[in-house]
Amino acid sequence: MIAAFPPRETALHLVIALILISALACRDSGASSNEPTGRSEGGSASDRTLAPTGEVVIARPSQPYAAISVVDGGSVTGTVSLAMPLTPAPSVPTGPDSALCGSSIPDESVGPPGSVSGGVVVWLDDIRRGKPVPLERRLELESSRCRLSPRVQAGVVASAVNVIGHDRFRQHLRFLTAGEKAPRAAVLLGQDEQVIPTELPLEAPGLVIVRDTDHAWPTAYLAVFDHPYFAVTAPNGTFTIDGIPPGKYTVMAWHERAKRAEQVVAVSSGGTAHMSIALQPR
């Protein structure tokens, strides 16, 4: 029996083709890892579907923030409430994941009886000088019991977020911001997985919304600032912001189910300004 061999040029072409196929396979397998990836121009179709619309809640400032020594600074303390009770949004069916999550996930944006129940971000909108930003710059976001927790948190620019998975299903999380065309980051998360902390979601001021391309119910919010004058209200709606240089400031308050509110407050040296903010439902 005589074996037939291809010409030398043909064999060389086959080797090159096999190398290219192997390289493409490695690239595709790497894309499925749980490490965070950066934004891609335009984003995928699912990214554009998830992208938040409407107003930019936390705008990028026109001037940089400058850290100074604040001697005998004042504080702002107060309570945020709703001008009228909010009705919880309809529960979201879980479909194929009902065995793990139950038949539906109830709305947890408001507490009984229709109160904000914490989760309101309050900040000084126009402050450009003040105490240094905190040295601790690490946030955690967990997927547990078919929910992202904490639902609302705040941090400073250049903080890293550590994403931890406990649920027994895969999630393709996207970190999205109104006014930006593509996600700040994308994370593939599975059970008992911990993603390498990434600074991409907190690379610049803004309100970052975390959503899942595969499931309709996981939602979380990261409020990002370039200064330390912000707070997330306690379950009873209270907040305190301290170490403020004396002056007049615009206090902003945001809740996911309400219109953004603002009030002007005067802060005196060593004094405490008290305020009450009533949010109007959207």
Side-chain angles (χ1 to χ4, degrees), residues 112-163:
S115 66
V116 291
S117 187
V120 178
V121 183
V122 184
W123 70 97
L124 303 187
D125 188 57
D126 48 1
I127 190 164
R128 293 291 83 203
R129 291 165 57 87
K131 64 183 181 180
V133 297
L135 295 177
E136 177 58 37
R137 300 186 183 185
R138 178 68 62 89
L139 302 178
E140 283 195 351
L141 182 65
E142 294 188 77
S143 174
S144 179
R145 299 182 298 108
C146 304
R147 293 158 174 82
L148 292 176
S149 178
R151 187 177 180 92
V152 180
Q153 58 183 317
V156 296
V157 167
S159 296
V161 58
N162 191 25
V163 187

mmCIF file of all heavy atoms in Angstrom, residues 112-163:
data_model
loop_
_atom_site.group_PDB
_atom_site.id
_atom_site.type_symbol
_atom_site.label_atom_id
_atom_site.label_comp_id
_atom_site.label_asym_id
_atom_site.label_seq_id
_atom_site.Cartn_x
_atom_site.Cartn_y
_atom_site.Cartn_z
ATOM 1 N N PRO A 112 -41.962 48.575 54.554
ATOM 2 C CA PRO A 112 -43.325 48.804 55.043
ATOM 3 C C PRO A 112 -43.364 50.016 55.954
ATOM 4 O O PRO A 112 -42.410 50.252 56.719
ATOM 5 C CB PRO A 112 -43.631 47.520 55.817
ATOM 6 C CG PRO A 112 -42.282 47.012 56.245
ATOM 7 C CD PRO A 112 -41.324 47.435 55.176
ATOM 8 N N PRO A 113 -44.452 50.777 55.958
ATOM 9 C CA PRO A 113 -45.540 50.747 54.950
ATOM 10 C C PRO A 113 -45.254 51.764 53.832
ATOM 11 O O PRO A 113 -45.640 52.927 53.937
ATOM 12 C CB PRO A 113 -46.769 51.147 55.756
ATOM 13 C CG PRO A 113 -46.217 52.069 56.828
ATOM 14 C CD PRO A 113 -44.775 51.677 57.066
ATOM 15 N N GLY A 114 -44.553 51.353 52.822
ATOM 16 C CA GLY A 114 -44.232 52.224 51.697
ATOM 17 C C GLY A 114 -43.178 53.265 52.001
ATOM 18 O O GLY A 114 -43.133 54.316 51.367
ATOM 19 N N SER A 115 -42.297 53.012 52.986
ATOM 20 C CA SER A 115 -41.266 53.968 53.353
ATOM 21 C C SER A 115 -39.991 53.687 52.567
ATOM 22 O O SER A 115 -39.862 52.650 51.920
ATOM 23 C CB SER A 115 -40.976 53.872 54.856
ATOM 24 O OG SER A 115 -40.405 52.600 55.161
ATOM 25 N N VAL A 116 -39.031 54.628 52.651
ATOM 26 C CA VAL A 116 -37.769 54.394 51.946
ATOM 27 C C VAL A 116 -36.933 53.321 52.628
ATOM 28 O O VAL A 116 -36.147 52.630 51.977
ATOM 29 C CB VAL A 116 -36.959 55.700 51.818
ATOM 30 C CG1 VAL A 116 -37.634 56.667 50.883
ATOM 31 C CG2 VAL A 116 -36.717 56.337 53.174
ATOM 32 N N SER A 117 -37.075 53.177 53.933
ATOM 33 C CA SER A 117 -36.406 52.116 54.688
ATOM 34 C C SER A 117 -34.912 52.052 54.377
ATOM 35 O O SER A 117 -34.362 50.999 54.083
ATOM 36 C CB SER A 117 -37.055 50.758 54.392
ATOM 37 O OG SER A 117 -36.509 49.758 55.235
ATOM 38 N N GLY A 118 -34.241 53.205 54.460
ATOM 39 C CA GLY A 118 -32.824 53.245 54.138
ATOM 40 C C GLY A 118 -32.609 53.263 52.635
ATOM 41 O O GLY A 118 -33.543 53.342 51.845
ATOM 42 N N GLY A 119 -31.356 53.197 52.225
ATOM 43 C CA GLY A 119 -31.059 53.130 50.799
ATOM 44 C C GLY A 119 -31.158 54.445 50.065
ATOM 45 O O GLY A 119 -31.213 54.466 48.838
ATOM 46 N N VAL A 120 -31.152 55.583 50.795
ATOM 47 C CA VAL A 120 -31.144 56.896 50.153
ATOM 48 C C VAL A 120 -29.710 57.442 50.199
ATOM 49 O O VAL A 120 -29.078 57.447 51.253
ATOM 50 C CB VAL A 120 -32.097 57.882 50.852
ATOM 51 C CG1 VAL A 120 -32.026 59.253 50.181
ATOM 52 C CG2 VAL A 120 -33.525 57.349 50.839
ATOM 53 N N VAL A 121 -29.207 57.878 49.060
ATOM 54 C CA VAL A 121 -27.873 58.467 48.998
ATOM 55 C C VAL A 121 -28.004 59.976 49.169
ATOM 56 O O VAL A 121 -28.786 60.622 48.473
ATOM 57 C CB VAL A 121 -27.173 58.142 47.669
ATOM 58 C CG1 VAL A 121 -25.755 58.712 47.673
ATOM 59 C CG2 VAL A 121 -27.137 56.640 47.429
ATOM 60 N N VAL A 122 -27.245 60.532 50.105
ATOM 61 C CA VAL A 122 -27.257 61.973 50.391
ATOM 62 C C VAL A 122 -25.833 62.485 50.242
ATOM 63 O O VAL A 122 -24.885 61.856 50.721
ATOM 64 C CB VAL A 122 -27.785 62.254 51.813
ATOM 65 C CG1 VAL A 122 -27.877 63.754 52.061
ATOM 66 C CG2 VAL A 122 -29.135 61.580 52.044
ATOM 67 N N TRP A 123 -25.678 63.637 49.586
ATOM 68 C CA TRP A 123 -24.334 64.172 49.399
ATOM 69 C C TRP A 123 -24.353 65.686 49.212
ATOM 70 O O TRP A 123 -25.388 66.263 48.895
ATOM 71 C CB TRP A 123 -23.648 63.500 48.217
ATOM 72 C CG TRP A 123 -24.188 63.847 46.845
ATOM 73 C CD1 TRP A 123 -23.702 64.777 45.972
ATOM 74 C CD2 TRP A 123 -25.321 63.262 46.183
ATOM 75 N NE1 TRP A 123 -24.432 64.798 44.813
ATOM 76 C CE2 TRP A 123 -25.436 63.876 44.908
ATOM 77 C CE3 TRP A 123 -26.252 62.272 46.521
ATOM 78 C CZ2 TRP A 123 -26.438 63.543 43.996
ATOM 79 C CZ3 TRP A 123 -27.247 61.936 45.621
ATOM 80 C CH2 TRP A 123 -27.326 62.570 44.375
ATOM 81 N N LEU A 124 -23.183 66.298 49.429
ATOM 82 C CA LEU A 124 -22.993 67.718 49.138
ATOM 83 C C LEU A 124 -22.573 67.819 47.673
ATOM 84 O O LEU A 124 -21.505 67.333 47.290
ATOM 85 C CB LEU A 124 -21.931 68.332 50.044
ATOM 86 C CG LEU A 124 -22.143 68.213 51.562
ATOM 87 C CD1 LEU A 124 -21.087 69.032 52.299
ATOM 88 C CD2 LEU A 124 -23.542 68.643 51.973
ATOM 89 N N ASP A 125 -23.390 68.473 46.887
ATOM 90 C CA ASP A 125 -23.190 68.426 45.433
ATOM 91 C C ASP A 125 -22.108 69.370 44.937
ATOM 92 O O ASP A 125 -21.445 69.091 43.933
ATOM 93 C CB ASP A 125 -24.515 68.748 44.731
ATOM 94 C CG ASP A 125 -24.438 68.538 43.239
ATOM 95 O OD1 ASP A 125 -24.112 67.412 42.815
ATOM 96 O OD2 ASP A 125 -24.680 69.504 42.488
ATOM 97 N N ASP A 126 -21.909 70.486 45.611
ATOM 98 C CA ASP A 126 -21.037 71.518 45.061
ATOM 99 C C ASP A 126 -19.780 71.762 45.890
ATOM 100 O O ASP A 126 -19.170 72.822 45.794
ATOM 101 C CB ASP A 126 -21.814 72.831 44.923
ATOM 102 C CG ASP A 126 -22.589 73.177 46.199
ATOM 103 O OD1 ASP A 126 -22.504 72.403 47.172
ATOM 104 O OD2 ASP A 126 -23.291 74.205 46.211
ATOM 105 N N ILE A 127 -19.364 70.813 46.679
ATOM 106 C CA ILE A 127 -18.176 71.010 47.501
ATOM 107 C C ILE A 127 -16.926 70.603 46.716
ATOM 108 O O ILE A 127 -16.871 69.519 46.127
ATOM 109 C CB ILE A 127 -18.284 70.226 48.833
ATOM 110 C CG1 ILE A 127 -17.158 70.633 49.772
ATOM 111 C CG2 ILE A 127 -18.315 68.718 48.593
ATOM 112 C CD1 ILE A 127 -17.389 70.210 51.208
ATOM 113 N N ARG A 128 -15.925 71.492 46.691
ATOM 114 C CA ARG A 128 -14.693 71.234 45.938
ATOM 115 C C ARG A 128 -13.446 71.308 46.810
ATOM 116 O O ARG A 128 -12.345 71.091 46.315
ATOM 117 C CB ARG A 128 -14.561 72.224 44.772
ATOM 118 C CG ARG A 128 -15.587 72.090 43.660
ATOM 119 C CD ARG A 128 -15.381 70.798 42.847
ATOM 120 N NE ARG A 128 -15.991 69.628 43.477
ATOM 121 C CZ ARG A 128 -15.611 68.370 43.239
ATOM 122 N NH1 ARG A 128 -14.606 68.126 42.435
ATOM 123 N NH2 ARG A 128 -16.214 67.376 43.841
ATOM 124 N N ARG A 129 -13.630 71.622 48.096
ATOM 125 C CA ARG A 129 -12.516 71.674 49.035
ATOM 126 C C ARG A 129 -12.989 71.131 50.373
ATOM 127 O O ARG A 129 -14.093 71.431 50.824
ATOM 128 C CB ARG A 129 -12.003 73.113 49.216
ATOM 129 C CG ARG A 129 -11.320 73.696 48.001
ATOM 130 C CD ARG A 129 -11.177 75.219 48.108
ATOM 131 N NE ARG A 129 -10.442 75.624 49.300
ATOM 132 C CZ ARG A 129 -9.108 75.727 49.349
ATOM 133 N NH1 ARG A 129 -8.386 75.453 48.275
ATOM 134 N NH2 ARG A 129 -8.513 76.117 50.448
ATOM 135 N N GLY A 130 -12.143 70.334 51.015
ATOM 136 C CA GLY A 130 -12.521 69.801 52.307
ATOM 137 C C GLY A 130 -11.550 68.730 52.778
ATOM 138 O O GLY A 130 -10.430 68.617 52.279
ATOM 139 N N LYS A 131 -11.998 67.932 53.749
ATOM 140 C CA LYS A 131 -11.137 66.914 54.354
ATOM 141 C C LYS A 131 -10.716 65.862 53.314
ATOM 142 O O LYS A 131 -11.397 65.670 52.293
ATOM 143 C CB LYS A 131 -11.863 66.246 55.523
ATOM 144 C CG LYS A 131 -13.108 65.473 55.129
ATOM 145 C CD LYS A 131 -13.800 64.899 56.357
ATOM 146 C CE LYS A 131 -15.037 64.092 55.964
ATOM 147 N NZ LYS A 131 -15.730 63.533 57.153
ATOM 148 N N PRO A 132 -9.597 65.197 53.560
ATOM 149 C CA PRO A 132 -9.122 64.188 52.607
ATOM 150 C C PRO A 132 -10.121 63.038 52.468
ATOM 151 O O PRO A 132 -10.894 62.756 53.385
ATOM 152 C CB PRO A 132 -7.807 63.699 53.229
ATOM 153 C CG PRO A 132 -7.389 64.789 54.161
ATOM 154 C CD PRO A 132 -8.660 65.392 54.680
ATOM 155 N N VAL A 133 -10.084 62.388 51.317
ATOM 156 C CA VAL A 133 -10.928 61.217 51.093
ATOM 157 C C VAL A 133 -10.410 60.078 51.957
ATOM 158 O O VAL A 133 -9.217 60.017 52.290
ATOM 159 C CB VAL A 133 -10.949 60.814 49.608
ATOM 160 C CG1 VAL A 133 -11.560 61.910 48.764
ATOM 161 C CG2 VAL A 133 -9.546 60.493 49.122
ATOM 162 N N PRO A 134 -11.264 59.136 52.356
ATOM 163 C CA PRO A 134 -10.823 58.044 53.238
ATOM 164 C C PRO A 134 -9.789 57.150 52.562
ATOM 165 O O PRO A 134 -9.804 56.951 51.349
ATOM 166 C CB PRO A 134 -12.131 57.287 53.519
ATOM 167 C CG PRO A 134 -13.046 57.656 52.411
ATOM 168 C CD PRO A 134 -12.696 59.062 52.044
ATOM 169 N N LEU A 135 -8.886 56.608 53.376
ATOM 170 C CA LEU A 135 -7.858 55.714 52.851
ATOM 171 C C LEU A 135 -8.437 54.347 52.504
ATOM 172 O O LEU A 135 -7.947 53.667 51.600
ATOM 173 C CB LEU A 135 -6.729 55.569 53.876
ATOM 174 C CG LEU A 135 -5.930 56.851 54.184
ATOM 175 C CD1 LEU A 135 -4.901 56.580 55.267
ATOM 176 C CD2 LEU A 135 -5.267 57.374 52.923
ATOM 177 N N GLU A 136 -9.463 53.899 53.240
ATOM 178 C CA GLU A 136 -10.091 52.606 52.966
ATOM 179 C C GLU A 136 -10.938 52.729 51.703
ATOM 180 O O GLU A 136 -11.921 53.469 51.670
ATOM 181 C CB GLU A 136 -10.964 52.176 54.141
ATOM 182 C CG GLU A 136 -11.718 50.877 53.913
ATOM 183 C CD GLU A 136 -10.815 49.695 53.596
ATOM 184 O OE1 GLU A 136 -9.718 49.619 54.192
ATOM 185 O OE2 GLU A 136 -11.196 48.870 52.748
ATOM 186 N N ARG A 137 -10.560 51.980 50.685
ATOM 187 C CA ARG A 137 -11.249 52.080 49.395
ATOM 188 C C ARG A 137 -11.575 50.695 48.870
ATOM 189 O O ARG A 137 -11.104 50.280 47.819
ATOM 190 C CB ARG A 137 -10.391 52.850 48.396
ATOM 191 C CG ARG A 137 -10.073 54.274 48.840
ATOM 192 C CD ARG A 137 -9.359 55.068 47.777
ATOM 193 N NE ARG A 137 -8.999 56.388 48.254
ATOM 194 C CZ ARG A 137 -8.440 57.325 47.497
ATOM 195 N NH1 ARG A 137 -8.178 57.085 46.228
ATOM 196 N NH2 ARG A 137 -8.124 58.502 48.009
ATOM 197 N N ARG A 138 -12.394 49.992 49.619
ATOM 198 C CA ARG A 138 -12.781 48.651 49.215
ATOM 199 C C ARG A 138 -14.274 48.449 49.507
ATOM 200 O O ARG A 138 -14.735 48.676 50.611
ATOM 201 C CB ARG A 138 -11.961 47.614 49.976
ATOM 202 C CG ARG A 138 -12.308 46.167 49.661
ATOM 203 C CD ARG A 138 -11.920 45.786 48.251
ATOM 204 N NE ARG A 138 -10.492 45.901 48.040
ATOM 205 C CZ ARG A 138 -9.622 44.920 48.264
ATOM 206 N NH1 ARG A 138 -10.033 43.758 48.719
ATOM 207 N NH2 ARG A 138 -8.342 45.103 48.032
ATOM 208 N N LEU A 139 -15.024 48.062 48.506
ATOM 209 C CA LEU A 139 -16.438 47.748 48.655
ATOM 210 C C LEU A 139 -16.642 46.266 48.341
ATOM 211 O O LEU A 139 -15.844 45.669 47.617
ATOM 212 C CB LEU A 139 -17.292 48.599 47.714
ATOM 213 C CG LEU A 139 -17.187 50.123 47.830
ATOM 214 C CD1 LEU A 139 -18.069 50.786 46.776
ATOM 215 C CD2 LEU A 139 -17.575 50.591 49.212
ATOM 216 N N GLU A 140 -17.711 45.711 48.868
ATOM 217 C CA GLU A 140 -18.059 44.320 48.561
ATOM 218 C C GLU A 140 -19.485 44.257 48.049
ATOM 219 O O GLU A 140 -20.372 44.970 48.542
ATOM 220 C CB GLU A 140 -17.914 43.426 49.796
ATOM 221 C CG GLU A 140 -16.485 43.064 50.122
ATOM 222 C CD GLU A 140 -16.384 41.902 51.093
ATOM 223 O OE1 GLU A 140 -17.426 41.486 51.651
ATOM 224 O OE2 GLU A 140 -15.257 41.408 51.319
ATOM 225 N N LEU A 141 -19.688 43.413 47.060
ATOM 226 C CA LEU A 141 -21.017 43.172 46.506
ATOM 227 C C LEU A 141 -21.210 41.662 46.438
ATOM 228 O O LEU A 141 -20.431 40.960 45.796
ATOM 229 C CB LEU A 141 -21.140 43.794 45.112
ATOM 230 C CG LEU A 141 -22.501 43.667 44.425
ATOM 231 C CD1 LEU A 141 -23.572 44.433 45.202
ATOM 232 C CD2 LEU A 141 -22.424 44.175 42.995
ATOM 233 N N GLU A 142 -22.234 41.171 47.134
ATOM 234 C CA GLU A 142 -22.466 39.728 47.205
ATOM 235 C C GLU A 142 -23.753 39.338 46.503
ATOM 236 O O GLU A 142 -24.756 40.050 46.584
ATOM 237 C CB GLU A 142 -22.533 39.276 48.665
ATOM 238 C CG GLU A 142 -21.224 39.415 49.418
ATOM 239 C CD GLU A 142 -21.292 38.773 50.792
ATOM 240 O OE1 GLU A 142 -21.211 37.530 50.873
ATOM 241 O OE2 GLU A 142 -21.443 39.503 51.775
ATOM 242 N N SER A 143 -23.701 38.204 45.821
ATOM 243 C CA SER A 143 -24.908 37.593 45.274
ATOM 244 C C SER A 143 -25.303 36.459 46.214
ATOM 245 O O SER A 143 -24.630 35.428 46.288
ATOM 246 C CB SER A 143 -24.641 37.046 43.869
ATOM 247 O OG SER A 143 -25.771 36.340 43.393
ATOM 248 N N SER A 144 -26.379 36.683 46.965
ATOM 249 C CA SER A 144 -26.812 35.719 47.973
ATOM 250 C C SER A 144 -28.334 35.697 48.041
ATOM 251 O O SER A 144 -28.977 36.744 48.013
ATOM 252 C CB SER A 144 -26.228 36.107 49.342
ATOM 253 O OG SER A 144 -26.649 35.205 50.337
ATOM 254 N N ARG A 145 -28.896 34.511 48.112
ATOM 255 C CA ARG A 145 -30.352 34.332 48.167
ATOM 256 C C ARG A 145 -31.034 35.019 46.984
ATOM 257 O O ARG A 145 -32.070 35.619 47.117
ATOM 258 C CB ARG A 145 -30.926 34.825 49.495
ATOM 259 C CG ARG A 145 -30.397 34.095 50.714
ATOM 260 C CD ARG A 145 -31.012 34.575 52.005
ATOM 261 N NE ARG A 145 -30.713 35.976 52.258
ATOM 262 C CZ ARG A 145 -31.617 36.955 52.151
ATOM 263 N NH1 ARG A 145 -32.858 36.672 51.804
ATOM 264 N NH2 ARG A 145 -31.270 38.202 52.397
ATOM 265 N N CYS A 146 -30.362 34.949 45.828
ATOM 266 C CA CYS A 146 -30.907 35.479 44.572
ATOM 267 C C CYS A 146 -31.051 37.001 44.592
ATOM 268 O O CYS A 146 -31.886 37.562 43.886
ATOM 269 C CB CYS A 146 -32.243 34.824 44.238
ATOM 270 S SG CYS A 146 -32.152 33.028 44.147
ATOM 271 N N ARG A 147 -30.228 37.652 45.410
ATOM 272 C CA ARG A 147 -30.235 39.108 45.490
ATOM 273 C C ARG A 147 -28.807 39.616 45.522
ATOM 274 O O ARG A 147 -27.899 38.920 45.985
ATOM 275 C CB ARG A 147 -30.981 39.578 46.746
ATOM 276 C CG ARG A 147 -32.469 39.272 46.728
ATOM 277 C CD ARG A 147 -33.023 39.253 48.134
ATOM 278 N NE ARG A 147 -34.462 39.106 48.184
ATOM 279 C CZ ARG A 147 -35.087 37.929 48.094
ATOM 280 N NH1 ARG A 147 -34.393 36.806 47.942
ATOM 281 N NH2 ARG A 147 -36.401 37.869 48.162
ATOM 282 N N LEU A 148 -28.612 40.846 45.061
ATOM 283 C CA LEU A 148 -27.331 41.516 45.198
ATOM 284 C C LEU A 148 -27.369 42.359 46.467
ATOM 285 O O LEU A 148 -28.304 43.133 46.681
ATOM 286 C CB LEU A 148 -27.055 42.408 43.982
ATOM 287 C CG LEU A 148 -26.800 41.669 42.660
ATOM 288 C CD1 LEU A 148 -26.639 42.669 41.520
ATOM 289 C CD2 LEU A 148 -25.571 40.773 42.752
ATOM 290 N N SER A 149 -26.352 42.213 47.303
ATOM 291 C CA SER A 149 -26.346 42.882 48.601
ATOM 292 C C SER A 149 -24.958 43.454 48.889
ATOM 293 O O SER A 149 -23.947 42.786 48.606
ATOM 294 C CB SER A 149 -26.743 41.888 49.692
ATOM 295 O OG SER A 149 -26.701 42.479 50.958
ATOM 296 N N PRO A 150 -24.908 44.692 49.428
ATOM 297 C CA PRO A 150 -26.031 45.591 49.711
ATOM 298 C C PRO A 150 -26.626 46.161 48.430
ATOM 299 O O PRO A 150 -25.931 46.317 47.434
ATOM 300 C CB PRO A 150 -25.405 46.682 50.568
ATOM 301 C CG PRO A 150 -23.958 46.680 50.194
ATOM 302 C CD PRO A 150 -23.617 45.272 49.862
ATOM 303 N N ARG A 151 -27.889 46.485 48.510
ATOM 304 C CA ARG A 151 -28.576 47.001 47.336
ATOM 305 C C ARG A 151 -28.064 48.394 46.966
ATOM 306 O O ARG A 151 -27.941 48.713 45.785
ATOM 307 C CB ARG A 151 -30.087 47.047 47.587
ATOM 308 C CG ARG A 151 -30.914 47.420 46.345
ATOM 309 C CD ARG A 151 -32.398 47.379 46.645
ATOM 310 N NE ARG A 151 -33.192 47.734 45.479
ATOM 311 C CZ ARG A 151 -33.669 46.864 44.592
ATOM 312 N NH1 ARG A 151 -33.397 45.576 44.727
ATOM 313 N NH2 ARG A 151 -34.388 47.278 43.566
ATOM 314 N N VAL A 152 -27.784 49.214 47.982
ATOM 315 C CA VAL A 152 -27.285 50.564 47.748
ATOM 316 C C VAL A 152 -26.064 50.797 48.634
ATOM 317 O O VAL A 152 -26.110 50.561 49.840
ATOM 318 C CB VAL A 152 -28.360 51.634 48.064
ATOM 319 C CG1 VAL A 152 -27.800 53.032 47.816
ATOM 320 C CG2 VAL A 152 -29.613 51.397 47.241
ATOM 321 N N GLN A 153 -24.969 51.253 48.028
ATOM 322 C CA GLN A 153 -23.799 51.655 48.798
ATOM 323 C C GLN A 153 -23.074 52.771 48.054
ATOM 324 O O GLN A 153 -23.360 53.039 46.883
ATOM 325 C CB GLN A 153 -22.872 50.471 49.062
ATOM 326 C CG GLN A 153 -22.359 49.756 47.848
ATOM 327 C CD GLN A 153 -21.511 48.544 48.220
ATOM 328 O OE1 GLN A 153 -20.670 48.597 49.129
ATOM 329 N NE2 GLN A 153 -21.737 47.432 47.544
ATOM 330 N N ALA A 154 -22.153 53.419 48.747
ATOM 331 C CA ALA A 154 -21.446 54.557 48.167
ATOM 332 C C ALA A 154 -19.967 54.449 48.479
ATOM 333 O O ALA A 154 -19.566 53.867 49.498
ATOM 334 C CB ALA A 154 -22.008 55.874 48.699
ATOM 335 N N GLY A 155 -19.140 55.020 47.594
ATOM 336 C CA GLY A 155 -17.707 54.986 47.789
ATOM 337 C C GLY A 155 -17.046 56.100 47.002
ATOM 338 O O GLY A 155 -17.703 56.843 46.266
ATOM 339 N N VAL A 156 -15.734 56.196 47.144
ATOM 340 C CA VAL A 156 -14.988 57.235 46.464
ATOM 341 C C VAL A 156 -14.293 56.675 45.228
ATOM 342 O O VAL A 156 -14.092 55.471 45.097
ATOM 343 C CB VAL A 156 -13.946 57.883 47.399
ATOM 344 C CG1 VAL A 156 -14.637 58.594 48.541
ATOM 345 C CG2 VAL A 156 -12.959 56.847 47.925
ATOM 346 N N VAL A 157 -13.946 57.580 44.332
ATOM 347 C CA VAL A 157 -13.254 57.219 43.101
ATOM 348 C C VAL A 157 -11.979 56.437 43.416
ATOM 349 O O VAL A 157 -11.291 56.725 44.400
ATOM 350 C CB VAL A 157 -12.929 58.494 42.294
ATOM 351 C CG1 VAL A 157 -11.947 58.193 41.172
ATOM 352 C CG2 VAL A 157 -14.202 59.097 41.730
ATOM 353 N N ALA A 158 -11.698 55.466 42.588
ATOM 354 C CA ALA A 158 -10.513 54.598 42.686
ATOM 355 C C ALA A 158 -10.670 53.513 43.742
ATOM 356 O O ALA A 158 -9.721 52.769 44.013
ATOM 357 C CB ALA A 158 -9.231 55.383 42.938
ATOM 358 N N SER A 159 -11.864 53.387 44.337
ATOM 359 C CA SER A 159 -12.116 52.248 45.209
ATOM 360 C C SER A 159 -12.258 50.988 44.359
ATOM 361 O O SER A 159 -12.608 51.048 43.183
ATOM 362 C CB SER A 159 -13.392 52.463 46.025
ATOM 363 O OG SER A 159 -13.273 53.552 46.905
ATOM 364 N N ALA A 160 -11.987 49.850 44.969
ATOM 365 C CA ALA A 160 -12.144 48.569 44.290
ATOM 366 C C ALA A 160 -13.375 47.863 44.843
ATOM 367 O O ALA A 160 -13.664 47.941 46.041
ATOM 368 C CB ALA A 160 -10.910 47.700 44.490
ATOM 369 N N VAL A 161 -14.126 47.199 43.981
ATOM 370 C CA VAL A 161 -15.281 46.430 44.420
ATOM 371 C C VAL A 161 -14.968 44.947 44.252
ATOM 372 O O VAL A 161 -14.502 44.507 43.200
ATOM 373 C CB VAL A 161 -16.562 46.833 43.637
ATOM 374 C CG1 VAL A 161 -16.384 46.651 42.142
ATOM 375 C CG2 VAL A 161 -17.766 46.035 44.140
ATOM 376 N N ASN A 162 -15.196 44.211 45.316
ATOM 377 C CA ASN A 162 -14.972 42.770 45.337
ATOM 378 C C ASN A 162 -16.328 42.080 45.194
ATOM 379 O O ASN A 162 -17.216 42.279 46.027
ATOM 380 C CB ASN A 162 -14.302 42.367 46.655
ATOM 381 C CG ASN A 162 -13.805 40.943 46.637
ATOM 382 O OD1 ASN A 162 -13.538 40.400 45.563
ATOM 383 N ND2 ASN A 162 -13.685 40.331 47.798
ATOM 384 N N VAL A 163 -16.517 41.310 44.140
ATOM 385 C CA VAL A 163 -17.798 40.671 43.854
ATOM 386 C C VAL A 163 -17.722 39.202 44.257
ATOM 387 O O VAL A 163 -16.827 38.472 43.811
ATOM 388 C CB VAL A 163 -18.164 40.796 42.365
ATOM 389 C CG1 VAL A 163 -19.576 40.289 42.115
ATOM 390 C CG2 VAL A 163 -18.030 42.245 41.905
#
